[in-house]
DNA sequence: GTGATTTTTGAAATCGTTTACATACTATAA
DNA sequence: TTATAGTATGTAAACGATTTCAAAAATCAC
C-alpha cells in the first residue's frame, strides 16, 4: 500500500507538505504542489480514509436504522435521505434491524464505537429510556417513529390525526364494525394510530371489539392471514383500518379468493400510499405520507448538527398527510 | 472519550494487558482480567473501531453497489446479502449509484481508500476495463450483472436463456409482433436478454422491428410511457417482453386506461416475479429469478475471500430461473 | 537453593494521517 | 544593513488501538 510517506519521499518533501497539498492548505508554493501531485500520480496514491477518520475524529457517515429494506415505505425514505446525504458528502450506513431488539442495540452501538457521526432512527424496538442513553454518544434524530422522552429532534406525521380521519372516513361510508391492524406493539406509530382509531369510534359511539384488533402484521402474507382470521370470527367486522398498504393488499387479495366483496362486505383502508395502492383492484383507500419530505427533513436536521455544529434538542417537525380515497372504501357506488 | 489508556490507568495495568483482555488472549491472570473488566465497566469503555481498523488493516465492511433501493429486485437482493453478512459479523455499506457512472466510480474508490474490504457489484455503468482496474485494490464479486472480461466470480442467471424462453412462450401464444424493452444500454443483463429475444424470433422467422425496441425504461411510470409510445406506432406490436415487472405493471395499468386488452390486444411478460406480478390484474407472466440464492451465494463467495483468504478468480455460479405463466399472456382462454 | 522453563506483564513501535510548533527563508521598510 | 513581518517547510506529537520483543515473575526439576 502506498502511503503519504512514499509520496513525500518521491517528491523529496515532508509528509506535512504532502498533507497540505492534499487538503488545499494555503502557503504551499506552486512548484512543490506540482512535485507532490506528480508523485501522487506516479504512485497512484489515495489517502487511507481510516487513518483520516482516526486523526480527524469524524467518519462522515450516518447510520440509518430501518426494520426492513423490502418494505417500500422504508426504501423510499432511504432514497430521500441518501439524496441529501450524498449532496453533502456524507455516507449512509443502512442498518436492517428486522424488528429485533438485540440487532437494534448493536446498531445503536455504532455511535459508541465512533463508527458513525450520527444516527437516524425510523422505528424502534427498545424502550425509549435505553435509547436516551445513547444520545450521549452522538446525535440521534427520529424520523417516523418518535418520543417526547428522548430529547432529540423528531420528524414525523401526526399519526393520531391520520388514523382518526381514516376511521371517520370508514364511518362516513356506513361502516359500524371496524377492525384495526398494526405491526409492532410498542411502536409509537402504532400506538398513536390506535389512539386516533379509538377516538373516532368513541365520537360515534361505536363498539370496540377486542378481537378486531390484530397485531404483528407487517407484510402481504400477514395481511392474507389477518383476513382469514377475521373471516373465522363469529362476529365479523365490516371494515378494517390497517397500518400498511402491504397488509391491506394481502387482505384484498385473500378477500377476492374467498369471494368476500371489498368494499361491499369489507371496506379496507391502508397506510402509506405505496405504488401498490393504485395498482390493486379495487384501488386502495389510504393515507399518503410525505415520505420524501420526511427523509429529507430528517437528514437535513442531522446535517445541521454534524456539519454546522448546531445544538441538538427536542424539536418536532410535523408534516402533513392526505387521505386518498379509492374504491376499497367506496360503499355507495360499488358495482 | 474514554480510551484504552484510561482503562489501563484505572486498572493499574498497561495498555497491552487491557488489549489482551479485550481480545481474549490467553496468558492473562484471572485477577487482572477482573481488574480490567471492572475498569471498563466503571468507565463505560468501548473500543474505538476506527483505531482498530487502522491497526488491523481491515474494516469488516462490504460495499454493495445497487442502482436504486426502490426497485424491489435490489431490495430483496440486499436483504439476502445482509442476512449472510450479519451472520458473519460483517457490515454492509449500501451504495446507490442511480445508474450514474460518476457515482459508481466514487463508490468503487471505496476499495482504493480502504474503506471496505470488498465490493459487490449488482449492476454497472462503467466499461469493464475500468472496473477491472479496481480489482487490484480489493476483492470484487459480480452479482446479477456479469462479464468475462473482469476476472472475478460472478453469481448470475442465464438471462439469454430466460429471455429466449419468455419470448418463445409469447410465440406459442400466437403472438407474432413482439416488442422488447430494457433499461441500461450497456448492461450485460439487457444485452443477454436481447440476445435470447432475437434468437427466439429468428428461430420462428419473425420480424424484428427496430421501433419495437424500447430502451431506458426502469419503473412503473416509464412503463406507462412505453405503452403510450407503442400505441402511437403505425404498426403496433401484439406482445411485449419487458425487462422488469415494474415496467410491465406500468404498461398493464396504462393499457387498462386506454382500453387495450391484455393479453387480447397485447400480451405482456415481465421479469423478476416481484410481489406485484401476482397482485395486478391480469396476473403478470414473468421470469422468477432466484434472488435470495443470488444474494446469498454472492455474499458467501465474498466471505470465502475475506474471511477464509481464498484466492479469487473467475468463477461462474449459474442459478436456475423459472417461467411463471399468468394471465397477461394467456391468449387462449381469456374472458 | 539453583538453574531451566513457562507464564505474565510492560515498553515501545506500528497503522497512515493531520497539525502545533519551530525554524528557515523571503520580502519589506527604515 | 538590519530589524520585522510574513511565507514556506519540516519535526514530532498526536489520534486509539494491537503486537513484537524483552524483562519480570512464577513454576518446576533436581
Amino acid at each position: 500500500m502506498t502511503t503519504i510517506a512514499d509520496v513525500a519521499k518521491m517528491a523529496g518533501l515532508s509528509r506535512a507538505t504532502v498533507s497540505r497539498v492534499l487538503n488545499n492548505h494555503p502557503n504551499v508554493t506552486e512548484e512543490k504542489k506540482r512535485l507532490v501531485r506528480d508523485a501522487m500520480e506516479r504512485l497512484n496514491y489515495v489517502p487511507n480514509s481510516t487513518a483520516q477518520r482516526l486523526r480527524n475524529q469524524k467518519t462522515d457517515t450516518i447510520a440509518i436504522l430501518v426494520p426492513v429494506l423490502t418494505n417500500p415505505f422504508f426504501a423510499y425514505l432511504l432514497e430521500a435521505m441518501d439524496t441529501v446525504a450524498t449532496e453533502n458528502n456524507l455516507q449512509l450506513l443502512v442498518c436492517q434491524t428486522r424488528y429485533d431488539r438485540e440487532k437494534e442495540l448493536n446498531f445503536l452501538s455504532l455511535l459508541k464505537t465512533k463508527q458513525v457521526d450520527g444516527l437516524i432512527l425510523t422505528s424502534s424496538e427498545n424502550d425509549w429510556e435505553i435509547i436516551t442513553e445513547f444520545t450521549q454518544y452522538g446525535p440521534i434524530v427520529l424520523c417516523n417513529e418518535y418520543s417526547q422522552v428522548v430529547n432529540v429532534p423528531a420528524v414525523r406525521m401526526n399519526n393520531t390525526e391520520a388514523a382518526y380521519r381514516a376511521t371517520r372516513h370508514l364511518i362516513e361510508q356506513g361502516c359500524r364494525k371496524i377492525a384495526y391492524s398494526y405491526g409492532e406493539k410498542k411502536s409509537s406509530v402504532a400506538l398513536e394510530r390506535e389512539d386516533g382509531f379509538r377516538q373516532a369510534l368513541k365520537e360515534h359511539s361505536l363498539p370496540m371489539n377486542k378481537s378486531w384488533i390484530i397485531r404483528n402484521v407487517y407484510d402481504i402474507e400477514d395481511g392474507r392471514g389477518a383476513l382469514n382470521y377475521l373471516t373465522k370470527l363469529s362476529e365479523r367486522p365490516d371494515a378494517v383500518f390497517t397500518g400498511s398498504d402491504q397488509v391491506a393488499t394481502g387482505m384484498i387479495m385473500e378477500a377476492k379468493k374467498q369471494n368476500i366483496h371489498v368494499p361491499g362486505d369489507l371496506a379496507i383502508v391502508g397506510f402509506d400510499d405505496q405504488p401498490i395502492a393504485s395498482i390493486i383492484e379495487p384501488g386502495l383507500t389510504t393515507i399518503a405520507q410525505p415520505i420524501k419530505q420526511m427523509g429529507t427533513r430528517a437528514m437535513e436536521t442531522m446535517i445541521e448538527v454534524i456539519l454546522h455544529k448546531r445544538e441538538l434538542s427536542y424539536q418536532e417537525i410535523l408534516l402533513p398527510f392526505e387521505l386518498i380515497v379509492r374504491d376499497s372504501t367506496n360503499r355507495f357506488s360499488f358495482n
Side-chain angles (χ1 to χ4, degrees), chain A:
Chain A
M1 182 184 207
T2 113
T3 75
I4 206 171
D6 302 325
V7 177
K9 194 192 282 177
M10 167 164 271
L13 293 164
S14 72
R15 306 204 314 280
T17 305
V18 176
S19 175
R20 288 195 188 98
V21 174
L22 217 50
N23 295 284
N24 293 314
H25 275 261
N27 303 344
V28 182
T29 55
E30 280 307 320
E31 188 206 348
K32 316 271 163 164
K33 265 188 201 163
R34 203 179 37 70
L35 245 43
V36 169
R37 297 225 165 95
D38 282 0
M40 294 210 238
E41 183 97 1
R42 292 250 291 285
L43 293 168
N44 198 6
Y45 167 79
V46 190
N48 178 314
S49 53
T50 301
Q52 292 180 313
R53 288 178 178 203
L54 177 58
R55 173 62 220 217
N56 297 332
Q57 298 285 72
K58 60 176 189 147
T59 63
D60 292 323
T61 304
I62 312 290
I64 316 289
L65 270 59
V66 297
V68 283
L69 287 172
T70 48
N71 181 332
F73 173 73
F74 294 106
Y76 283 97
L77 202 56
L78 273 173
E79 178 153 89
M81 291 180 178
D82 185 80
T83 304
V84 181
T86 305
E87 280 166 9
N88 290 273
N89 291 314
L90 290 175
Q91 272 180 5
L92 243 53
L93 192 65
V94 176
C95 309
Q96 274 200 87
T97 66
R98 317 255 175 154
Y99 299 105
D100 181 299
R101 191 179 313 163
E102 204 59 42
K103 280 212 173 74
E104 183 175 292
L105 274 177
N106 283 335
F107 289 132
L108 281 164
S109 302
L110 291 171
L111 270 182
K112 261 196 187 178
T113 60
K114 304 291 171 207
Q115 284 190 71
V116 298
D117 293 344
L119 189 148
I120 299 182
L121 221 52
T122 67
S123 84
S124 133
E125 296 306 309
N126 287 279
D127 292 339
W128 292 111
E129 287 71 36
I130 293 181
I131 290 169
T132 304
E133 278 181 37
F134 283 91
T135 58
Q136 63 181 295
Y137 302 114
I140 293 184
V141 167
L142 304 182
C143 178
N144 181 43
E145 197 84 47
Y146 99 116
S147 152
Q148 284 165 321
V149 178
V150 188
N151 189 33
V152 299
V155 177
R156 63 183 197 101
M157 234 193 54
N158 189 332
N159 278 287
T160 310
E161 177 79 13
Y164 170 81
R165 290 264 283 281
T167 311
R168 209 184 58 189
H169 167 72
L170 283 170
I171 296 170
E172 283 163 5
Q173 295 298 307
C175 304
R176 291 292 172 268
K177 303 189 285 185
I178 308 177
Y180 167 63
S181 94
Y182 64 94
E184 287 301 287
K185 187 155 200 155
K186 293 204 164 181
S187 126
S188 70
V189 172
L191 292 175
E192 270 194 69
R193 291 184 191 168
E194 190 169 332
D195 268 5
F197 171 70
R198 283 169 190 272
Q199 214 173 295
L201 291 191
K202 202 171 172 187
E203 238 176 72
H204 296 79
S205 318
L206 290 177
M208 153 97 180
N209 189 325
K210 275 224 165 157
S211 53
W212 295 345
I213 306 279
I214 320 173
R215 58 173 166 259
N216 273 320
V217 285
Y218 299 93
D219 55 25
I220 295 180
E221 213 41 57
D222 298 338
R224 301 186 98 111
L227 187 111
N228 279 321
Y229 161 78
L230 288 179
T231 55
K232 286 195 192 97
L233 291 179
S234 56
E235 189 169 11
R236 289 196 201 172
D238 57 8
V240 53
F241 167 53
T242 72
S244 128
D245 285 350
Q246 298 280 305
V247 172
T249 298
M251 296 185 87
I252 292 182
M253 289 176 74
E254 195 62 23
K256 278 186 199 170
K257 205 164 152 189
Q258 313 224 0
N259 274 317
I260 292 171
H261 190 272
V262 177
D265 303 325
L266 188 72
I268 300 183
V269 175
F271 215 106
D272 294 346
D273 194 29
Q274 294 177 3
I276 217 176
S278 51
I279 289 167
I280 197 164
E281 288 178 21
L284 181 60
T285 294
T286 189
I287 300 281
Q289 299 209 55
I291 303 191
K292 193 172 169 182
Q293 269 189 71
M294 283 171 70
T296 305
R297 296 294 297 275
M299 186 54 75
E300 283 171 352
T301 307
M302 180 57 81
I303 284 169
E304 273 300 303
V305 183
I306 304 279
L307 261 41
H308 311 131
K309 317 275 175 216
R310 206 147 97 46
E311 260 315 305
L312 186 149
S313 68
Y314 183 72
Q315 170 196 6
E316 201 168 272
I317 299 176
L318 254 189
L319 298 174
F321 62 89
E322 201 183 336
L323 176 71
I324 311 277
V325 178
R326 297 201 181 88
D327 285 342
S328 71
T329 55
N330 185 354
R331 295 191 113 192
F332 295 123
S333 67
F334 59 86
N335 30 5

